[in-house]
Amino acid sequence: MNNPGVALLLPNFSSLNSKKRHCFLSELDRISPPGTLALTDLPVEQDDTVLDNVKLIKFSHGSDVGDTLRTGFAAALELGAENIVTFEDYSESNAKWFLPYIGNGNIIESCKRGLADMIITEASNLLSFGNMYNGFSMNRLFTREAALSIKDTRLRGKAFLIEAANVLNAKGIKTVEVVKPAKIQSKKRVNPKEVFDSIVNSLNHSSVLFGLFGSLAYLANLIAVYISLSLGWFYPAAILAGGEISAFSNFVMNEKINFKNKGLSSSAYRFGKFNTIAIIPLLADILLISFLTKYTNIIGKTIFIDLSLITIIFMSTMSIFLVTKFVWSKGNNITIKI
């Protein structure tokens, strides 16, 4: 196997006891191609592990995870690395996770996500039009192109991982995420500030326009429903008409102005998906409100109005989430579940 220019980032490696370090490095040396670099915080003279294929290099650590990884990327790039690898943990079994993926672009090997990971990742996906599965997995292989794009990012701590994915997505750099449900997920804690920073920094120009066009489409919906009811239309028919007008105007503004997609056939295909996905929550909303209408005298008008409002907000949120995920997502992150 030719040397692909692999650099392995091993931050805080000195925190392991000597036995675990020896086992991990020995396994790395056994499976790695000759000339592989291992960047650690451990002075080379402090480890007596005999290595044939891996060369240990010390690099300076930052104040947190994000700073440290950025420093490591910069060091690896200066050394000419074409592939940069990070690790979820330093167990012997995880040492060779990256080996099958060398030469296949940017890779994330993740596992079944927890509730907190899911909420944060999906919130970031919603704002950045991404489709990550697990934004916090540390088993990552970056190409040189990807590392150059993210080495100057801003976020600190574990939020850096989400930002890195969003940066690659915004630049059209593809990532393949391999999900292995059987793998045991490590327990990572993300503090509230990192969560807030991660989600807020997912906002971009497209997000702002998407919100503006969504508001205009919602206004068109209200006007259409009001006019339809004024003309004596049946309530579900008025809601459906308003929803279709809102959906069409929303789609056209985003398709041609926000995302600047060209081509009549591709736009028609996306509109078909858009309309199908958008109409499901709308129909559910109509059915539920129609059901509640029958019991207005029992539950009271005030409670009926409150429940109707909650239903509309919930269904609208679901519609936005589904449309963003399946229509407007840029498709740069490909998820493969095995």
Side-chain angles (χ1 to χ4, degrees), residues 177-196:
E177 186 172 5
V178 181
V179 182
K180 293 185 172 181
K183 188 173 181 180
I184 298 175
Q185 186 179 33
S186 63
K187 303 293 183 180
K188 291 186 287 289
R189 293 184 180 181
V190 182
N191 67 50
K193 185 179 184 304
E194 290 176 342
V195 172
F196 179 79

Side-chain angles (χ1 to χ4, degrees), residues 104-229:
N104 292 308
N106 299 292
I107 303 290
I108 299 175
E109 187 182 85
S110 63
C111 53
K112 186 177 181 180
R113 57 187 176 177
L115 179 61
D117 285 1
M118 180 189 73
I119 292 172
I120 298 168
T121 302
E122 291 300 346
S124 177
N125 286 340
L126 189 64
L127 294 174
S128 65
F129 304 100
N131 58 344
M132 291 279 293
Y133 176 81
N134 187 351
F136 290 100
S137 175
M138 277 291 290
N139 274 355
R140 299 193 182 195
L141 189 156
F142 298 89
T143 61
R144 186 176 184 83
E145 176 193 25
L148 285 168
S149 298
I150 64 177
K151 70 180 183 68
D152 295 323
T153 48
R154 306 179 308 280
L155 290 186
R156 300 168 63 84
K158 296 182 181 67
F160 166 80
L161 298 173
I162 290 284
E163 188 189 20
N166 290 335
V167 168
L168 298 185
N169 182 58
K171 293 190 175 185
I173 299 175
K174 294 187 179 296
T175 300
V176 176
E177 186 172 5
V178 181
V179 182
K180 293 185 172 181
K183 188 173 181 180
I184 298 175
Q185 186 179 33
S186 63
K187 303 293 183 180
K188 291 186 287 289
R189 293 184 180 181
V190 182
N191 67 50
K193 185 179 184 304
E194 290 176 342
V195 172
F196 179 79
D197 287 346
S198 174
I199 294 174
V200 168
N201 280 276
S202 299
L203 283 166
N204 52 39
H205 179 261
S206 293
S207 307
V208 175
L209 283 180
F210 186 80
L212 174 62
F213 294 156
S215 299
L216 292 174
Y218 181 69
L219 182 61
N221 185 8
L222 292 179
I223 293 172
V225 171
Y226 177 78
I227 293 174
S228 299
L229 291 176

Side-chain angles (χ1 to χ4, degrees), residues 204-278:
N204 52 39
H205 179 261
S206 293
S207 307
V208 175
L209 283 180
F210 186 80
L212 174 62
F213 294 156
S215 299
L216 292 174
Y218 181 69
L219 182 61
N221 185 8
L222 292 179
I223 293 172
V225 171
Y226 177 78
I227 293 174
S228 299
L229 291 176
S230 299
L231 294 174
W233 286 30
F234 186 49
Y235 183 75
I239 292 292
L240 186 60
E244 281 298 307
I245 291 173
S246 173
F248 182 76
S249 59
N250 193 349
F251 176 83
V252 171
M253 286 187 291
N254 278 296
E255 176 75 0
K256 298 305 179 185
I257 300 174
N258 192 2
F259 300 108
K260 297 180 174 61
N261 293 322
K262 298 180 180 180
L264 181 60
S265 59
S266 60
S267 292
Y269 172 71
R270 268 189 294 274
F271 180 69
K273 286 203 303 181
F274 178 92
N275 203 40
T276 301
I277 294 172

